[in-house]
Amino acid sequence: MHAFDVFSHYERTHWRLTDIDFDKVDRSLVEPEYVTLAKSAVMGECNSIAATHGFFNEFVDDYDFSAFAAIWGYQELQHHYAFKTWLRAIDEDVDERPVEAMREPYAPGSTPSATLATNIISELTVNHVYRAVADWVREPVLQDILRRASRDEAGHAREFIHYTKERLARRPQELPSVLETLYVYTSEARIKHPVSLFKDSLVEGGDHETIDTGFEVFLEKVADEDELQKLHAKVRSAFGSMTGLDLTTGARIRRALAGALS
């Protein structure tokens, strides 16, 4: 069972909230954008509850992946609490009402493989953003949290890729849904994230941050001019390696999709 190996690795490398010295937060280095980014991260990471629930519903016949989902959910909840604790250390907090609004489980994807593919994109996106933001912020405790979370997200992407490859080997008929998912998330000149597409409408109009707020700060303050292209290239490369297809451009994704459907 692959999840057992993941759990064993997690036991050896796992960090704890108590490993972070929140008493060392340097308020003099905190910029308003840092607060916005942390609140946005709290809103994004709180969706692990809804996602874990959705995984258990959709993968009721797959104990191995469900075991991994439980491990994943714990780590994502840890990220949520780490950013929340940092905010409390500077006397900021997140309104619990929009967090509560995110609780409803995600609906199943068009196929289970599409659900897994969506999460590959999610993990690679957040890994990229967290790592870049960690290099940009000057407050050391927030920087530490971002780097820890970024490393976790890279590991999560690796495992979602494993489970997607394993499922496609058993159910190759689900390949078109994976390619369609890739195209949807990388065909526009903006960062698209599952929380943005499926959850932000639940809390729009309120006086609070969403995950998109953080992406906007990232693109405006942190990202290079070609940052979005680099992110999309990273995602397409991961899917190309996973499927053995040339998916380096939108046109090639469409061509691969047409071939998979024929």
Side-chain angles (χ1 to χ4, degrees):
M1 185 177 293
H2 184 69
F4 177 74
D5 295 332
V6 175
F7 186 81
S8 299
H9 177 74
Y10 170 80
E11 286 280 276
R12 294 191 302 271
T13 62
H14 174 59
W15 59 275
R16 300 180 299 170
L17 209 58
T18 51
D19 294 333
I20 301 171
D21 190 350
F22 290 98
D23 291 333
K24 290 186 176 179
V25 172
D26 189 340
R27 289 171 177 254
S28 69
L29 296 177
V30 175
E31 301 288 348
E33 293 88 353
Y34 300 0
V35 178
T36 299
L37 285 162
K39 288 185 175 182
S40 173
V42 167
M43 291 304 300
E45 300 285 2
C46 78
N47 278 271
S48 60
I49 301 296
T52 304
H53 191 164
F55 288 147
F56 289 161
N57 285 342
E58 190 170 0
F59 292 86
V60 68
D61 62 342
D62 190 336
Y63 187 95
D64 187 16
F65 175 73
S66 298
F68 164 70
I71 301 167
W72 171 87
Y74 182 93
Q75 287 194 319
E76 297 289 6
L77 188 62
Q78 182 183 34
H79 300 168
H80 171 80
Y81 287 149
F83 287 113
K84 189 177 183 70
T85 305
W86 183 84
L87 286 164
R88 285 182 171 175
I90 59 171
D91 299 322
E92 293 277 354
D93 207 349
V94 174
D95 187 346
E96 295 294 344
R97 289 171 295 181
V99 172
E100 292 283 350
M102 298 288 199
R103 172 59 185 89
E104 182 181 353
Y106 283 91
S110 57
T111 70
S113 290
T115 296
L116 296 173
T118 298
N119 282 272
I120 294 170
I121 296 167
S122 170
E123 303 295 343
L124 290 174
T125 298
V126 179
N127 160 257
H128 184 95
V129 172
Y130 280 173
R131 188 177 70 242
V133 173
D135 292 340
W136 176 72
V137 302
R138 296 187 303 131
E139 201 292 304
V141 177
L142 180 59
Q143 185 179 73
D144 183 29
I145 295 168
L146 286 160
R147 285 179 174 159
R148 291 174 187 268
S150 177
R151 288 192 293 269
D152 289 345
E153 307 295 10
H156 297 164
R158 181 180 64 246
E159 303 311 335
F160 277 112
I161 288 170
H162 167 85
Y163 284 107
T164 306
K165 288 178 67 175
E166 185 181 70
R167 185 171 181 91
L168 287 176
R170 301 193 310 270
R171 295 176 174 84
Q173 68 273 19
E174 294 184 3
L175 175 61
S177 68
V178 171
L179 299 175
E180 181 181 38
T181 299
L182 174 63
Y183 185 75
V184 166
Y185 280 93
T186 62
S187 61
E188 298 179 29
R190 65 187 182 96
I191 296 179
K192 297 173 75 172
H193 189 278
V195 177
S196 304
L197 293 184
F198 299 109
K199 291 287 186 174
D200 273 5
S201 61
L202 298 174
V203 294
E204 284 178 352
D207 185 22
H208 50 76
E209 290 75 7
T210 69
I211 191 169
D212 278 342
T213 316
F215 290 149
E216 289 166 7
V217 173
F218 166 70
L219 291 172
E220 180 181 348
K221 300 288 186 179
V222 182
D224 296 334
E225 186 176 345
D226 61 346
E227 197 80 32
L228 188 59
Q229 290 80 4
K230 289 190 290 187
L231 173 58
H232 284 174
K234 179 187 296 184
V235 173
R236 289 168 178 159
S237 175
F239 275 69
S241 296
M242 179 174 70
T243 62
L245 298 168
D246 183 352
L247 305 173
T248 51
T249 66
R252 287 172 177 167
I253 296 170
R254 291 195 303 272
R255 191 176 305 131
L257 178 56
L261 290 169
S262 62

